[in-house]
């Protein structure tokens, strides 16, 4: 087949291609419509694409298909080819016999036969070439397949859910065989953690949502999110770290509140103090901490006041925790957690009472935050109040 080069194509400012206008137009509905509006024969035609999916590499793959009428579609190129086919409208209406979109869709039907590594390669390609928006079909099926495989792993490891969210491993029986069985089972449910570190925060968010929709154990999901944060944050810039933390907080917020430990949440709080987190993510974190306020310690609550304030500790933050705690049960929190929080607040009030810069309104708000029924005795609270008045005078 004779090939001429009568059309110049600028792809995203990355590279310029000289192509056969007749051949490429025969496959592309987008170009067919564009040149169908042209009147007469024009020389020196040029097309400029600003947002071609996959850039020059994606365009070159598409060209190979156009010139050969076929191309080997593999997990390593299907994301680019599918996105290019959508962008160029390479469907049945453009070419009845050979249309790239139909061929990529047909290849996607074989996704259940892909290996785990092939699945990760396809996901990473969506990520590397910014195809998340342009390749919803490929990405969606990859995510669904990945979550489905992890769900099967989770189902085959029933003991994984017995792990406390505050523990790094399951509690083992004294029986050696039972211990090994539990270790192996827990490993089967977490083997994929390291593999998914190649994903960006955006894709981690999408993977998490897919796992939740598959009813994968929330404790396992939360452990993965904490693992991702710990592994990725150390080498991240401030902006990258902020994005990672926001993503993890937003995803933890969608899980059962008991699936992540109070200790881990306060760890995020300490990290967030130096980051410019969004108001939404910060509010979600405070709400999750408030929900587990009965698990907090005094040291957890002694958070330095924000920059620009003259009082010692961030009392407003603790008041927001208390508000979230009260609201967690629709004002019907059971007695034991309420008493634990009341005891904690007595300790906290005694700790902040010596601060001469703490306003009376704030100290009073702490004293009145919980109902009277939360305390069997008011003695410790009154001692804290006496201490505050001594400093005040």
């Amino acid at each position: 087949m004779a090939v001429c080069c009568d059309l110049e194509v600028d792809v995203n400012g990355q590279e310029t291609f000289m192509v056969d206008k007749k051949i490429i137009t025969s496959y592309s509905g987008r170009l067919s419509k564009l040149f169908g509006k042209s009147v007469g024969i024009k020389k020196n035609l040029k097309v400029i694409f600003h947002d071609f999916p996959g850039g020059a590499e994606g365009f070159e793959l598409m060209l190979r298909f156009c010139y050969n009428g076929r191309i080997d579609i593999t997990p390593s190129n299907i994301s680019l080819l599918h996105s290019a086919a959508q962008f160029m409208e390479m469907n049945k209406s453009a070419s009845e016999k050979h249309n790239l979109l139909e061929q990529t869709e047909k290849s996607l039907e074989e996704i259940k036969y892909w290996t785990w590594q092939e699945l990760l390669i396809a996901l990473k390609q969506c990520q590397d070439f910014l195809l998340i928006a342009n390749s919803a079909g490929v990405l969606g099926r990859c995510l669904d397949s990945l979550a489905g495989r992890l769900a099967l792993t989770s189902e085959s490891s029933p003991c994984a859910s017995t792990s406390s969210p505050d523990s790094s491993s399951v509690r083992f029986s004294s029986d050696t065989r039972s211990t090994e069985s539990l270790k192996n089972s827990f490993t089967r449910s977490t083997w994929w953690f390291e593999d998914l570190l190649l994903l960006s925060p955006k894709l981690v968010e999408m993977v998490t949502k897919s796992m939740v929709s598959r009813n994968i154990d929330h404790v396992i999901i939360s452990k993965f999110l904490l693992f991702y944060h710990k592994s990725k944050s150390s080498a991240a810039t401030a902006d990258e770290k902020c994005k990672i933390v926001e993503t993890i907080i937003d995803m933890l917020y969608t899980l059962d509140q008991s699936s992540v430990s109070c200790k881990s949440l306060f760890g995020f709080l300490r990290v967030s103090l130096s980051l410019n987190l969004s108001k939404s993510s910060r509010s979600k974190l405070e709400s999750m901490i408030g929900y587990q306020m009965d698990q907090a310690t005094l040291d957890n609550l002694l958070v330095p006041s924000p920059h620009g304030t003259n009082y010692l500790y961030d009392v407003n933050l603790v008041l927001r925790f208390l508000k979230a705690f009260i609201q967690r049960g629709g004002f019907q929190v059971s007695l034991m957690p309420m008493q634990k929080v009341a005891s904690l607040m007595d300790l906290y009030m005694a700790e902040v009472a010596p601060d001469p810069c703490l306003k009376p309104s704030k100290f009073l708000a702490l004293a009145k935050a919980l109902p009277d029924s939360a305390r069997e005795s008011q003695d410790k609270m009154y001692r804290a109040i006496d201490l505050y008045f001594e400093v005040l005078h």
Side-chain angles (χ1 to χ4, degrees), residues 12-31:
N12 302 356
Q14 297 176 349
E15 194 171 340
T16 299
F17 295 82
M18 295 302 300
V19 302
D20 188 310
K21 172 175 167 286
K22 183 178 179 181
I23 291 176
I24 194 171
T25 302
S26 68
Y27 289 103
S28 169
R30 184 174 189 142
L31 290 182

Side-chain angles (χ1 to χ4, degrees), residues 266 269-270 272-274 282 285-286 289 293 297-323 345 348-349 351-353 355 357-359 362-363 365-366:
F266 274 107
L269 180 67
R270 287 192 297 273
S272 72
L273 295 177
S274 61
R282 199 173 291 278
L285 178 58
E286 292 175 4
I289 290 175
M293 190 70 166
T297 66
L298 178 60
D299 285 343
N300 291 151
L301 300 185
L302 298 179
V303 179
S305 61
H307 180 72
T309 56
N310 56 1
Y311 45 93
L312 193 57
Y313 297 114
D314 195 344
V315 174
N316 287 327
L317 177 64
V318 174
L319 287 171
R320 292 196 296 274
F321 290 160
L322 288 170
K323 183 179 179 181
M345 291 316 301
Y348 183 75
M349 290 174 66
E351 192 71 30
V352 301
D355 184 358
C357 297
L358 183 61
K359 295 179 180 179
K362 295 299 178 186
F363 194 78
L366 289 172

